[in-house]
């Protein structure tokens, strides 16, 4: 019998359950990341939010808590990767998709590489965030996740950019 990961690698557009990634409700999942990003900003954190999806169902959510938790590791993508590694095995994680309001930073992409999610979908690119923050662009998540997770984006870019335009960078 073929492993779930091998099936995923042979056909990354179909989950083991047969549900096609193209049929996922991308807009709904991404809108949920935007809601989480706005909640983070309202509480005093930077505006980033992420959801972890399996079979087109959100199974975990996180928002940025770096400032309010005084913990540089509390990026939503990294914390979801941590939680997923504790709660699911590698084969299960390989069938999951992380939706995130903004392309993961190198630290988060490293944690996500360890988690081994099947796909990552973002709204605002790291190059765009660099322009908002005035920082130098970082290495792109697709480079770090190459051969591990497919990286898809931008999705709903205009709406995602609006969150960062409203935030006081």
């Amino acid at each position: 019998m073929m492993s779930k990961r091998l099936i995923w690698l042979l056909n990354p557009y179909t989950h083991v359950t047969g549900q096609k990634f193209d049929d996922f409700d991308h807009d709904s999942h991404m809108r949920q990341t935007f809601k989480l990003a706005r909640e983070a900003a309202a509480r005093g954190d930077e505006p980033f939010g992420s959801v972890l999806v399996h079979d087109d169902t959100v199974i975990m959510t996180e928002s940025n808590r770096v400032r309010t938790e005084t913990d540089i590791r509390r990026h939503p993508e990294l914390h979801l990767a941590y939680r997923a590694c504790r709660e699911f095995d590698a084969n299960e994680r390989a069938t999951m998709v992380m939706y995130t309001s903004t392309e993961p930073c190198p630290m988060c992409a490293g944690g996500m590489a360890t988690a081994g999610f099947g796909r990552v979908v973002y709204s605002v690119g790291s190059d765009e965030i660099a322009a908002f923050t005035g920082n130098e662009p970082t290495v792109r998540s697709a480079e770090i996740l190459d051969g591990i997770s497919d990286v898809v984006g931008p999705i709903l870019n205009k709406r995602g950019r609006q969150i960062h335009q409203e935030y006081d960078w």
Side-chain angles (χ1 to χ4, degrees), residues 71-90:
D71 185 346
I72 63 171
R73 301 167 299 169
R74 287 304 303 267
H75 291 208
E77 304 92 340
L78 185 61
H79 202 66
L80 281 178
Y82 166 77
R83 289 177 54 202
C85 285
R86 291 180 59 100
E87 297 181 33
F88 301 99
D89 68 33

Side-chain angles (χ1 to χ4, degrees), residues 128-137 169:
E128 295 172 293
I129 288 300
F132 281 119
T133 63
N135 294 326
E136 290 294 316
W169 286 104

Side-chain angles (χ1 to χ4, degrees), residues 47 132 158-169:
F132 281 119
K158 184 176 178 182
R159 288 184 183 174
R161 288 176 57 83
Q162 182 179 3
I163 294 167
H164 293 286
Q165 289 165 341
E166 295 168 358
Y167 185 73
D168 185 21
W169 286 104

Side-chain angles (χ1 to χ4, degrees), residues 63-78:
S63 60
N64 186 293
R65 294 182 182 275
V66 170
R67 290 184 184 151
T68 55
E69 297 287 329
T70 317
D71 185 346
I72 63 171
R73 301 167 299 169
R74 287 304 303 267
H75 291 208
E77 304 92 340
L78 185 61

Side-chain angles (χ1 to χ4, degrees), residues 31-165:
R31 281 192 304 274
Q32 191 166 358
T33 73
F34 298 159
K35 180 178 182 252
L36 291 162
R38 284 191 165 92
E39 288 172 4
R43 111 177 129 252
D45 287 299
E46 292 179 343
F48 303 109
S50 303
V51 299
L52 193 59
V53 173
H54 183 258
D55 289 335
D56 202 26
T57 300
V58 174
I59 59 172
M60 291 183 181
T61 66
E62 284 289 341
S63 60
N64 186 293
R65 294 182 182 275
V66 170
R67 290 184 184 151
T68 55
E69 297 287 329
T70 317
D71 185 346
I72 63 171
R73 301 167 299 169
R74 287 304 303 267
H75 291 208
E77 304 92 340
L78 185 61
H79 202 66
L80 281 178
Y82 166 77
R83 289 177 54 202
C85 285
R86 291 180 59 100
E87 297 181 33
F88 301 99
D89 68 33
N91 288 332
E92 291 170 317
R93 293 190 310 268
T95 66
M96 296 176 184
V97 179
M98 183 180 293
Y99 288 82
T100 187
S101 61
T102 307
E103 183 179 1
C105 72
M107 176 181 71
C108 293
M112 293 164 68
T114 299
F117 299 124
R119 185 168 274 112
V120 177
V121 182
Y122 68 87
S123 174
V124 179
S126 60
D127 56 332
E128 295 172 293
I129 288 300
F132 281 119
T133 63
N135 294 326
E136 290 294 316
T138 62
V139 62
R140 302 297 296 262
S141 61
E143 292 179 52
I144 297 167
L145 294 168
D146 187 39
I148 300 166
S149 302
D150 292 330
V151 178
V152 178
I155 302 282
L156 297 180
N157 183 255
K158 184 176 178 182
R159 288 184 183 174
R161 288 176 57 83
Q162 182 179 3
I163 294 167
H164 293 286
Q165 289 165 341

